[in-house]
Amino acid sequence: MRSSLATLLLLAALAGSVAVPHGARAQQPVPSRDSARRDTMRRAPARSDTTVTRLPTVEVRASIAPSAGASVGSGIPARISTLTTREIDAWAPRTLADALGSQPGVSTYDDLGTPYKLSVSARGFSVGPTVGLPPGITVFLDGVRQNEPDAQEVNFDLLPMENVERVEVLSGAASLLGPNSLAGAINLITRRGGTPSTALQLSGGSFGAYAAQASTSGTTDDAWDYYASAGVEREHGWRQATGDRNYNALLNVGRSRGSRTVHVQILGARSRAETAGSLPESIFTAAPQRNFTAGDFEDVSTVQGALSAETPVGSGRGVFSAYLRRAHAERFNVNQPPDDDVRSVTTSYTLGGRFDWRWVTAAGAGAVALRTGVDGSANRVHVRIRAEPQGASDGADSLTTNVRSPSWDIAAYALADYHVGRVTLSAGARYDVVRIPFRNLLDRAGDTASTFRSFNPRGGVSVEVASGASLYASVGRSFRAPAILELACADPDATCPLPFALGDDPPLDPVRATTYEIGARWTRGPATVVASAYHTNVRDEIFFVASERALLSGFFTNVPRTRRDGADVSVQLALGQRVLAYASYAWTRATFRSAAELFSIRSDEEFASSPLAGSNSVQVGDRLPLVPEHQIKTGALLRLPAAFAIGLDTRYVGRQWFRGDEANETQPLAPYLLANARVAWSGGGWEITLRTTNVLDSHRAIFGTFNENRESGELERFLTPMNARTVKLELRRQIAGGEGGA
């Protein structure tokens, strides 16, 4: 069950000369085949300080990493990791969630029952396609927010991974990136024109999977560059009555002349996923491929247009952007009889923009970089939900929800960096106003409006302690306003049947998180070591509480205090284009800091005799669900003689508590290991790649909750298995231009 398009703060704790120690794999991104020559021409020399990078002066791309963007930026220290073109091309992840699974401290889970609808957990916060999942991470595509305005969910299967040049992951409170960035932000940078290149890619594999993608890029005689791509992907799922169909198209057109740059982007994508959900443990053990409630599907689409430009303004530089985005989703949820099936249709339009001005000047023995700007968006959201009785003929349904929400948000921000010697001092703040009206078209007496205001400061210091070694410390606050869905389902006396019947409910408080972080980065020859530790206090976190009166019903509420503590360390070894290897370890502890009564089906009197029964009375120190305490990641990409290349990627994810066992009264989800492998050959403009995911063909559970199995009447653990082993063969033909390589 599943935008507010507040524009990306093109560089707030982000681009510019951000004082940011790179993350586990955050060395300069490997250029794509289509942009190698252009990026080489734009690249500027770096400062000696490894945490403060001087950037190219003309680059309109919105970035949250110090590897692209204008030369004036915010030096707010943070941990940033970068997935490069080489890694993305090597593993060809289905979705962004797959790609992020290799990052330190990032895990995925599957509560919808398809590998195309995974959710992401990082530092104890989540984001994903499930409507009702409390979001704590913001996702951007070239600076345009992708969190949908109805519930702030992100449909990863609509993001064009086939056309992504790199992925930037900012960990920690992203105070200056706007709402939802409690644990950070993720930004996808798409490919641009440059060196003339045309390519065709075909692939096929397990479970009827096939895909085709074509792209072309280049420049015109009058200095315009372009990149265009279109593709289709289909797969019959491993589990019964599942599968996915995806269509995508992208056009990037830009021009740079002197100190002025302009860029236009048009994106269209559609995906239909037939999902399987989780299984009662009794069925999971015997037949993990079974679909317990066959017929669920999600049909989502988006169309997006964006314009951005950069030009001198007075003594500084100005960046302007505007975008228009339409998103549509139809979701059908088959419930266990006798509950009604539920169909929801959501349509949203978002118009947003930003103006950002930057200026740098000498100040005493150092230099001051200033940045200020405004951004905002307006959303028009329409949600309709119907209850459809089991086996009813067409028309025998009821419209339970018909609401509109013309929400809007606006923000102002200011940032300052002071660079002197080996030290960079940074400070910034952002002030947001978010207004969310609620218009109930079935009962106009229920119309309401909620307004949220938040001032979020952030500051820090980074120091180059030796050649190739740097330290940083920072503190910052971030917030998220309750989503439309949460505000309209917050009354314990009028619970919402899943997937939610929205109405006029009491207001919720916004979520606020304050993060303290320290980190270090050390580079020695081809090796880079990065480490960080953090402590995040969260107030008024929003949780969904199951109802005592109906098994598939509940409401959202604030829990006064929760906390995240963690640390991670990663090592990367890069020997030119021959070897790229990494290893990382992450420890995360997400706990409740206030006692709370979070009703679970486990505490229903009907199941008092079940061995899984419990009060689920949360005490201080109890762990939040679906947050693994330990994670270990390793991987390598190696180029071999005779134009061959191999790769191996392994991920160990530790135990996690079940959703519905917030009091930690039962056994947690067992640890699991995932291994992926690839072998490739390239030559003469051809590339042939064989990839295998889940090499061990493990079916360990990667998600768990509790429910009644109405086939038996018993309370059971409901589990989602890891997707089965898949093998995919890919053929790529570089028709013109490009650099090739496996």
Side-chain angles (χ1 to χ4, degrees):
M1 308 285 310
R2 320 316 163 239
S3 25
S4 165
L5 273 287
T7 312
L8 173 63
L9 262 199
L10 178 65
L11 297 80
L14 73 187
S17 56
V18 187
V20 181
H22 291 260
R25 303 197 252 174
Q27 67 178 35
Q28 284 285 358
V30 178
S32 71
R33 303 180 184 91
D34 298 332
S35 63
R37 186 174 66 185
R38 168 177 48 78
D39 286 347
T40 300
M41 295 172 63
R42 290 179 177 175
R43 197 167 296 136
R47 291 166 51 111
S48 60
D49 186 341
T50 59
T51 64
V52 182
T53 306
R54 187 63 65 188
L55 303 173
T57 57
V58 178
E59 177 70 79
V60 141
R61 304 198 202 191
S63 169
I64 60 175
S67 53
S71 61
V72 182
S74 164
I76 307 297
R79 190 197 206 313
I80 288 187
S81 302
T82 301
L83 272 168
T84 66
T85 300
R86 182 179 177 187
E87 294 165 288
I88 295 170
D89 285 350
W91 297 109
R94 285 187 180 94
T95 68
L96 175 63
D98 278 322
L100 294 174
S102 64
Q103 295 298 288
V106 177
S107 61
T108 60
Y109 59 90
D110 181 8
D111 50 353
L112 296 177
T114 169
Y116 288 90
K117 294 289 182 179
L118 300 181
S119 294
V120 169
S121 174
R123 293 194 171 190
F125 295 90
S126 299
V127 68
T130 304
V131 171
L133 176 70
I137 303 169
T138 313
V139 178
F140 300 98
L141 176 67
D142 287 323
V144 176
R145 185 183 295 267
Q146 300 299 301
N147 299 67
E148 305 294 354
D150 58 331
Q152 299 301 319
E153 79 276 20
V154 177
N155 294 304
F156 292 133
D157 46 351
L158 296 181
L159 300 178
M161 289 303 299
E162 305 85 355
N163 305 307
V164 169
E165 183 174 290
R166 66 178 182 273
V167 178
E168 304 163 339
V169 183
L170 169 63
S171 300
S175 312
L176 305 169
L177 290 176
N180 302 318
S181 305
L182 306 177
I186 301 162
N187 188 35
L188 287 75
I189 303 290
T190 58
R191 302 176 192 243
R192 300 285 177 84
T195 303
S197 175
T198 299
L200 177 63
Q201 185 170 294
L202 302 173
S203 66
S206 306
F207 310 113
Y210 70 86
Q213 191 80 25
S215 65
T216 185
S217 66
T219 57
T220 65
D221 293 338
D222 52 354
W224 287 90
D225 65 82
Y226 61 89
Y227 175 86
S229 176
V232 60
E233 180 179 13
R234 294 197 175 195
E235 179 178 330
H236 304 307
W238 165 63
R239 297 182 63 185
Q240 296 172 356
T242 61
D244 186 89
R245 301 192 296 273
N246 184 285
Y247 308 89
N248 67 85
L250 174 71
L251 174 65
N252 281 328
V253 178
R255 187 181 193 187
S256 295
R257 175 166 289 184
S259 59
R260 292 176 171 81
T261 305
V262 64
H263 178 255
V264 176
Q265 180 180 86
I266 299 175
L267 166 72
R270 180 173 183 177
S271 173
R272 180 182 174 91
E274 296 163 347
T275 63
S278 52
L279 290 168
E281 189 167 18
S282 58
I283 297 175
F284 173 89
T285 303
Q289 76 278 10
R290 182 175 163 185
N291 189 332
F292 189 54
T293 53
D296 292 357
F297 71 82
E298 296 204 352
D299 195 338
V300 295
S301 63
T302 187
V303 177
Q304 175 179 301
L307 168 69
S308 57
E310 182 176 351
T311 186
V313 176
S315 58
R317 296 192 62 80
V319 175
F320 166 81
S321 69
Y323 49 88
L324 177 64
R325 188 167 183 267
R326 178 190 184 273
H328 180 80
E330 179 181 2
R331 301 179 175 93
F332 187 71
N333 185 53
V334 177
N335 287 318
Q336 297 185 68
D339 292 319
D340 292 339
D341 296 337
V342 179
R343 185 185 305 272
S344 68
V345 178
T346 302
T347 304
S348 64
Y349 295 86
T350 300
L351 175 65
R354 179 198 70 253
F355 179 75
D356 182 272
W357 184 77
R358 293 147 291 161
W359 176 66
V360 62
T361 186
V368 173
L370 302 176
R371 178 184 297 269
T372 186
V374 295
D375 71 25
S377 67
N379 309 290
R380 296 294 181 268
V381 181
H382 187 194
V383 181
R384 288 150 292 170
I385 300 177
R386 294 182 179 274
E388 301 184 2
Q390 299 274 346
S393 59
D394 291 344
D397 61 2
S398 62
L399 183 64
T400 62
T401 298
N402 188 8
V403 302
R404 294 183 184 272
S405 179
S407 62
W408 55 265
D409 59 86
I410 190 168
Y413 55 89
L415 318 164
D417 303 328
Y418 180 57
H419 307 280
V420 56
R422 295 173 177 264
V423 178
T424 300
L425 301 174
S426 307
R430 177 182 172 107
Y431 183 75
D432 286 88
V433 179
V434 180
R435 184 166 178 80
I436 305 177
F438 180 84
R439 298 176 181 172
N440 190 339
L441 302 183
L442 298 181
D443 179 11
R444 296 310 298 267
D447 291 358
T448 60
S450 301
T451 302
F452 304 93
R453 297 177 175 85
S454 185
F455 176 76
N456 299 298
R458 183 168 167 84
V461 58
S462 61
V463 182
E464 183 185 14
V465 295
S467 178
S470 58
L471 304 174
Y472 75 91
S474 67
V475 60
R477 191 173 75 175
S478 55
F479 95 112
R480 82 170 181 91
I484 295 169
L485 181 145
E486 293 168 332
L487 286 169
C489 183
D491 188 348
D493 295 323
T495 56
C496 305
L498 297 177
F500 312 111
L502 310 182
D504 172 28
D505 288 343
L508 294 170
D509 293 323
V511 184
R512 303 183 189 278
T514 302
T515 297
Y516 304 85
E517 183 170 347
I518 58 173
R521 181 176 188 267
W522 180 63
T523 299
R524 183 80 172 185
T528 298
V529 180
V530 180
S532 64
Y534 58 90
H535 171 86
T536 301
N537 291 317
V538 186
R539 301 191 64 174
D540 297 317
E541 187 158 1
I542 298 174
F543 282 84
F544 184 74
V545 181
S547 168
E548 299 184 43
R549 291 180 288 277
L551 296 181
L552 295 176
S553 183
F555 63 97
F556 290 97
T557 190
N558 291 112
V559 172
R561 294 182 183 276
T562 59
R563 189 168 76 193
R564 276 77 165 168
D565 296 295
D568 54 64
V569 60
S570 59
V571 180
Q572 177 178 283
L573 179 67
L575 297 174
Q577 292 294 305
R578 288 290 178 184
V579 178
L580 177 62
Y582 74 93
S584 70
Y585 167 76
W587 170 78
T588 307
R589 176 167 292 183
T591 57
F592 291 92
R593 309 312 299 173
S594 298
E597 294 294 331
L598 299 181
F599 179 81
S600 165
I601 189 175
R602 297 175 43 253
S603 57
D604 191 289
E605 292 182 358
E606 182 179 347
F607 304 110
S609 61
S610 170
L612 297 174
S615 65
N616 203 39
S617 180
V618 173
Q619 303 299 317
V620 174
D622 287 339
R623 306 290 183 84
L624 273 69
L626 299 175
V627 179
E629 184 171 8
H630 303 285
Q631 295 187 68
I632 301 173
K633 315 282 181 69
T634 62
L637 294 171
L638 309 176
R639 287 179 185 258
L640 304 176
F644 282 95
I646 60 173
L648 179 66
D649 181 84
T650 66
R651 309 170 190 178
Y652 168 84
V653 179
R655 68 177 194 169
Q656 308 168 63
W657 293 100
F658 278 64
R659 183 180 292 168
D661 184 19
E662 287 76 13
N664 307 164
E665 297 169 323
T666 68
Q667 290 297 313
L669 205 63
Y672 65 86
L673 178 69
L674 173 66
N676 304 315
R678 74 183 291 269
V679 60
W681 174 88
S682 63
W686 291 89
E687 294 181 31
I688 303 174
T689 306
L690 183 68
R691 298 185 184 87
T692 303
T693 62
N694 190 10
V695 172
L696 303 177
D697 199 25
S698 169
H699 300 316
R700 286 290 187 97
I702 60 174
F703 171 81
T705 188
F706 300 88
N707 206 341
E708 177 189 7
N709 179 352
R710 290 188 176 169
E711 292 183 357
S712 64
E714 298 294 326
L715 175 66
E716 292 193 45
R717 306 198 308 174
F718 273 57
L719 307 169
T720 305
M722 190 185 304
N723 196 54
R725 177 172 55 224
T726 63
V727 178
K728 182 177 289 188
L729 180 65
E730 177 184 285
L731 176 65
R732 187 177 193 275
R733 171 60 173 165
Q734 191 76 38
I735 299 173
E739 296 183 349

